């Protein structure tokens, strides 16, 4: 365990539980993500709204007349300008569709329904009623129409629903009454046990809240289904296509836009589902309710026969033999279609330096270079025993160049280093033949500078500089020359004495905290090789003098640091992905706090981090550059030390590894003040005193006064009295909420809402108090009567973004203060659940938390 810390301590003590109270947190808006649809021009100046409420303006004149607007999704809401359709934009605002020229008066075909992406434009509307039980498995609809399915199996039989309102729609099983749920879906009332066959007493009509149930959905706008296992997202309908590993977690909903036949995947199925992210997943592991296609088709491809189906990158001729000069069927296979390959073989060199040919089910040969098999070498059975032609071990080919200028500035260095790292080990063949020429294979020239040019083109920088000295002139003309003390990954370093006497070039892949650099260099020993780390001021004996450093972009970022995270820091759980372990912590030293991301890698790969420190104290942000982290090493990225104030401090961090961004990490911690409980039955007054002090109350009450106010007896303090007393000592004028007593878990509201309440309280500067069995605490003692109860205070948390939970974040670690001996401890979510199994109803968790 490389990043975790362990704290051990002791404990004990008292309390008796009682009843329950219920409050639900509003779900946060989902952030807009790619892909986008459009652009569509604004027909007038449009205000941005925070929801599908015409009066909920949060950005005046966000879009000017004629400005091009990109959409993430569409949904139905209050009628504006004669239309009940609303558009959710790239910037995360709602706008009436009546003011956007989409070319149609209804939903745009192919644009997802927002509810199918988990984006609810009515999230802030209405209050919560319920819970009510689902009689059967119920699909969530986008309107009061049984055919407008948005989420399949949204509510399983026996699960609990919370409603906002009711209205009338298309009849289902003889009833025209529909229920609108807290999650934003319409469900037939006949499938819900409400205690009545008619309108629920006191339930508002949806039309009175501005929620329109009569706008039919877009049939080509996607539909949500549950995944049966964790799935990769593929860039083609083939298990051999490049993929985003573990893109969709088991048990989560994915939005499927259409379905198609492709390469056979699992269970003999050839069906693939295209998601709203533009990726393909194997339908076999998606719970669509059928083993056949149930949605609109993405293309006209039929089920595959013998062989394997692969995507064609460009329109291809079908040749009669393994040679570009043989007779052919011109344009036999259109670009973007699928071709069935029965075997592969080596033949005449064709494109990109490749000598691989694929034999199709039509008995023709196609150049493998333009077939998306997921590999540059043979992946299927051989058609014959012909040897690979002379020259070019591996016959390497490389990805094509993205459109110049298409890569964001912050991604440029990441793209360059990942591109360079992906080519390590590629050898030249023949007379300096290599795949890094401007139009593919280039022979006859030294190619170190061609390789460097290629890495920059992978980041959208349109350069082809076959002589290394030209890099110096290019950078000088653009103000992008840098000093040796300011080298960053993605830069190139030039070896020699001047641009006119330049001998070699290297792409900077990593910068050590002590300033040493690691480079990836083409044509070093006739191959692409990792060199270093070495001192740029004294690169020998590996290299001669470095005379120039050229940056690809004018940006700034910080260097990763060495050093360990302090043992008493407030941290998230250690996350692992693709050989990288990473963790966000908040370190506190006296009145100072800082945010730190620690990263460890099991292999050479590119890592980048951005860290933000905020909250009631001073704030600071830092970006640690994309750098090639060497295997079995770790680094940290840290903000400056800032003063922590009452109200606490929040930290957010994003880690990118191997070019893929990981879910954002979050921590929060309060400025802790607390004293040990003064009597054996004073765990309640002790935690109340610490909670009030940690919120910055001007005069901290004594434990005796708090015991009197809370009616503490020889057996302890009741939760209801705890909540009432703490509300009386909550500082006013600081934006704090009063406190309530809540139970969450098996018999009440879902546990995730309770944990979310605790997290959001800490985020706004308020701790929560937790009722536990002391013998079940990790630092507690076993034994006791089983009736013994105790209070502890939660004042810090660690969480990670999650699409699986109703709250948008999954909180897994907590910072806990124990009044028994005034000690602090770390607890995981499982440990908290175990220790908090102390409420009146087994399986429930009791907290005294803010009424957020």
């Amino acid at each position: 365990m490389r990043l975790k810390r362990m704290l051990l301590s002791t404990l004990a003590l008292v309390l008796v539980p009682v009843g329950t109270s219920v409050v639900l947190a509003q779900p946060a808006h989902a952030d807009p993500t790619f892909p986008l649809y459009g652009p569509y021009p604004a027909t007038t100046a449009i205000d941005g709204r925070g929801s599908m409420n015409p009066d909920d303006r949060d950005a005046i004149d966000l879009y000017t007349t004629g400005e091009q607007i990109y959409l993430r999704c569409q949904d139905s809401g209050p009628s504006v300008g004669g239309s009940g359709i609303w558009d959710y934009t790239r910037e995360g605002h709602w706008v009436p569709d009546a003011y956007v020229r989409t070319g149609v008066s209804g939903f745009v075909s192919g644009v997802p329904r927002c509810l199918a992406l988990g984006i609810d434009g009515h999230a802030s509307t209405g209050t919560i009623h319920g819970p009510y039980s689902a009689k059967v498995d119920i699909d969530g609809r986008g309107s009061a129409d049984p055919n407008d399915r948005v989420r399949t199996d949204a509510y399983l039989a026996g699960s609990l629903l919370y409603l906002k309102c009711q209205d009338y729609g298309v009849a289902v099983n003889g009833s025209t009454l529909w229920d609108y749920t807290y999650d934003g879906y319409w469900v037939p009332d006949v499938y819900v046990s409400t205690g009545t066959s008619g309108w629920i007493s006191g339930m508002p009509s949806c039309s009175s809240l501005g929620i329109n149930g009569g706008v039919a959905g877009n049939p080509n706008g996607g539909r949500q289904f549950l995944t049966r296992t964790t799935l990769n997202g593929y860039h083609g309908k083939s298990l051999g296509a490049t993929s985003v590993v573990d893109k969709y977690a088991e048990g989560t909903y994915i939005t499927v836009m259409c379905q198609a036949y492709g390469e056979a995947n699992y269970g003999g199925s050839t069906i693939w589902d295209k998601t709203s992210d533009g990726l393909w997943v194997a339908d076999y592991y998606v719970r669509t309710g059928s083993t056949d296609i149930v949605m609109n088709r993405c293309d006209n491809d039929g089920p595959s026969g013998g062989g394997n189906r692969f995507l064609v990158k460009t329109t291809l001729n079908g040749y009669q033999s393994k040679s570009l000069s043989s007779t052919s069927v011109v344009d036999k296979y259109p670009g973007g279609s699928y071709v069935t390959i029965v075997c592969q073989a080596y033949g005449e060199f064709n494109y990109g330096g490749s000598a691989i040919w694929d034999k199709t089910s039509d008995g023709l040969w196609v150049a493998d270079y333009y077939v998306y098999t997921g590999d540059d070498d043979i992946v299927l059975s051989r058609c014959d025993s012909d040897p690979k032609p002379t020259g070019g071990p591996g016959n390497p080919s490389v990805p094509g160049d993205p459109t110049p200028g298409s890569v964001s500035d912050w991604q440029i260095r990441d793209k360059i280093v990942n591109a360079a790292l992906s080519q390590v080990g590629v050898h030249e063949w023949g007379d300096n033949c290599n795949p890094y020429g401007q139009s593919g294979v280039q022979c006859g020239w030294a190619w170190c500078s061609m390789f460097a040019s290629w890495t920059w083109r992978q980041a959208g920088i349109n350069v082809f500089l076959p002589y290394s000295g030209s890099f110096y002139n290019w950078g000088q003309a653009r103000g992008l020359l840098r000093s040796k003390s300011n080298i960053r990954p993605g830069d190139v370093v030039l070896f020699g004495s001047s641009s006119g006497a330049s001998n070699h070039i290297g792409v900077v892949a990593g910068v050590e905290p002590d300033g040493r650099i690691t480079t990836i260099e083409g044509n070093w020993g006739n191959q692409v090789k990792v060199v270093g780390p070495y001192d740029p001021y004294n690169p020998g004996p590996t290299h001669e003098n470095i005379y120039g450093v050229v940056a690809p972009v004018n940006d700034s970022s910080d260097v990763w640091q060495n050093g360990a995270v302090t043992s008493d820091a407030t941290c998230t759980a250690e996350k692992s992905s693709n050989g990288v372990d990473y963790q966000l912590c908040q370190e506190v030293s006296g009145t100072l706090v800082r945010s730190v991301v620690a990263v460890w890698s099991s292999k050479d790969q590119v890592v980048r981090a951005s860290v933000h420190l905020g909250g009631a104290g001073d704030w600071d942000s830092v970006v640690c550059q994309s750098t090639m982290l060497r295997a079995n090493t770790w680094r940290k990225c840290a903000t400056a030390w800032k003063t922590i104030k009452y109200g606490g401090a929040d930290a957010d961090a994003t880690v990118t590894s191997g070019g893929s961004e990981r879910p954002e990490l979050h921590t929060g911690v309060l400025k802790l003040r607390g004293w040990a409980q003064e009597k054996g039955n004073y765990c309640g007054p002790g935690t109340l005193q610490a909670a009030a002090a940690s919120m910055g109350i001007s005069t901290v009450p004594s434990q005796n006064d708090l015991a009197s106010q809370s009616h503490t007896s020889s057996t302890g303090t009741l939760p209801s009295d705890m909540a009432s007393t703490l509300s009386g000592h909550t500082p006013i004028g600081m934006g704090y909420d009063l406190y309530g007593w809540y139970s969450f878990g098996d018999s009440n509201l879902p546990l995730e809402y309770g944990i979310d309440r605790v997290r959001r309280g800490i985020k706004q500067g308020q701790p929560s108090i937790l009722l536990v069995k002391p013998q079940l605490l990790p630092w507690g003692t076993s034994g006791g009567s089983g009736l013994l109860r105790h209070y502890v205070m939660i004042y810090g948390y660690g969480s990670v973004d999650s699409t699986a939970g109703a709250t948008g974040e999954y909180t897994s670690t907590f910072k806990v203060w124990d009044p028994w001996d005034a000690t602090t401890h770390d607890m995981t979510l499982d440990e908290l659940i175990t220790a908090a199994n102390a409420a009146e109803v087994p399986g429930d968790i009791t907290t005294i938390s803010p009424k957020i």
Side-chain angles (χ1 to χ4, degrees), residues 40 73 78 140 199 278 441 620 748 766:
Y40 305 110
C73 55
W199 200 285
V441 173
D620 186 42
N748 297 284
Q766 293 185 258

Side-chain angles (χ1 to χ4, degrees), residues 525-575:
N526 298 326
Q527 64 177 303
V528 180
K529 192 172 183 179
V530 177
V531 183
Y534 54 85
D535 181 357
Y537 290 95
N538 183 25
T542 305
H543 286 303
E544 57 181 313
N545 177 60
I546 293 176
Y547 74 87
V549 180
V550 186
V553 64
N554 189 13
D555 63 350
S556 61
S557 56
D558 286 334
V559 177
W560 291 83
Q561 304 174 20
N562 285 323
V565 177
T566 57
S567 61
D568 61 345
T570 300
C571 301
T572 64
E574 181 181 325
K575 306 295 292 181

Side-chain angles (χ1 to χ4, degrees), residues 745-764:
D746 294 345
S747 302
N748 297 284
L749 293 182
L751 175 65
E752 60 189 350
Y753 286 104
I755 298 303
D756 186 55
R757 176 181 298 280
V758 171
R759 178 186 60 78
R760 290 187 295 127
I762 294 171
K763 191 173 179 65
Q764 73 176 22

Side-chain angles (χ1 to χ4, degrees), residues 259-456:
Q259 295 176 295
Y261 292 111
E263 175 189 301
N265 45 70
Y266 302 102
S269 174
T270 58
I271 298 176
W272 290 80
D273 303 336
K274 194 168 190 179
T275 74
S276 58
D277 303 308
L279 299 173
W280 294 93
V281 295
D283 178 78
Y284 182 77
Y285 287 115
V286 180
R287 185 175 169 178
T288 64
S290 174
T291 57
D292 206 344
I293 288 180
V294 298
M295 297 186 64
N296 56 300
R297 294 276 295 274
C298 306
D299 55 40
N300 294 320
D301 287 356
S304 80
N308 292 274
R309 296 169 64 83
F310 298 102
L311 181 67
V312 176
K313 300 178 185 178
T314 189
T315 299
L316 294 178
N317 298 341
Y319 293 90
Q320 299 294 335
S321 64
K322 300 178 293 182
S323 169
L324 296 176
S325 60
S326 68
T327 56
S328 65
V329 180
V330 178
D331 295 342
K332 170 69 174 176
Y333 305 104
S337 66
Y338 283 80
V339 61
T340 299
I341 305 299
V342 296
C343 57
Q344 294 177 293
Y346 292 113
E348 176 188 279
F349 282 112
N350 45 71
Y351 302 103
S354 175
I356 300 174
W357 289 80
D358 303 335
K359 192 168 188 178
T360 75
S361 55
D362 303 311
L364 299 173
W365 292 92
V366 293
D368 179 77
Y369 181 77
Y370 288 117
V371 179
Y372 205 155
T373 64
D375 201 294
D376 296 331
D377 209 338
I378 288 177
V379 296
L380 301 177
S381 58
R382 295 277 293 272
C383 306
D384 54 40
S385 300
D386 289 356
K388 184 184 299 183
T390 303
N395 296 301
S397 61
V398 298
D401 303 336
T403 303
S406 63
V407 178
S408 302
D409 283 358
W410 73 268
Q411 292 180 304
I412 285 177
R413 296 182 182 277
D414 207 53
K415 295 283 188 182
I416 291 171
V417 183
N418 273 306
L421 187 60
S422 73
Q423 300 298 296
V424 171
V426 171
H427 284 255
E428 65 178 44
W429 67 94
D431 180 17
N432 269 319
C433 293
N434 69 91
Y436 308 112
Q438 190 168 20
S439 300
V441 173
Q442 176 72 53
C443 299
W445 297 356
W447 52 279
C448 61
S449 193
M450 280 193 283
F451 171 73
S453 298
W454 176 83
T455 65
W456 278 25

Side-chain angles (χ1 to χ4, degrees), residues 452-622:
S453 298
W454 176 83
T455 65
W456 278 25
R457 290 201 304 276
Q458 298 309 294
I461 302 172
N462 189 21
V463 293
F464 178 66
L465 305 172
Y467 171 58
S468 58
S470 300
F471 265 94
Y472 186 91
N473 299 330
W474 184 94
Q476 187 177 48
R478 292 164 175 78
L480 293 174
L481 298 181
R482 295 290 181 262
S483 69
K484 297 179 188 179
S485 63
N486 190 31
I487 298 176
R488 296 289 182 265
D491 292 349
V492 293
V493 289
L494 306 169
F495 302 98
S497 57
S498 67
S499 61
S502 190
N503 300 325
H504 189 57
I505 185 172
V507 179
V508 179
V511 178
E512 303 293 310
D514 61 6
R516 291 179 301 146
I517 63 173
T518 297
T519 49
I520 298 177
E521 302 169 20
N523 207 15
W524 184 253
N526 298 326
Q527 64 177 303
V528 180
K529 192 172 183 179
V530 177
V531 183
Y534 54 85
D535 181 357
Y537 290 95
N538 183 25
T542 305
H543 286 303
E544 57 181 313
N545 177 60
I546 293 176
Y547 74 87
V549 180
V550 186
V553 64
N554 189 13
D555 63 350
S556 61
S557 56
D558 286 334
V559 177
W560 291 83
Q561 304 174 20
N562 285 323
V565 177
T566 57
S567 61
D568 61 345
T570 300
C571 301
T572 64
E574 181 181 325
K575 306 295 292 181
S576 296
S577 180
N578 195 30
V580 171
D581 294 348
Y582 55 99
Q583 184 177 36
L584 171 65
C585 296
Q586 280 181 277
E587 296 180 331
V588 177
S589 177
T591 61
L592 299 177
V593 63
R594 72 172 181 176
S595 305
V596 181
V597 164
V599 177
W600 180 93
S601 180
S602 63
K603 61 183 179 181
D604 292 358
Q605 67 176 304
V606 183
V607 179
R608 179 183 184 274
S610 60
V611 191
H612 175 76
L613 174 66
D618 297 332
W619 65 270
D620 186 42
S621 291
V622 64

Side-chain angles (χ1 to χ4, degrees), residues 1 112 150 183 437 440 466 502 626:
M1 188 167 63
V150 176
D183 306 298
S502 190
S626 301

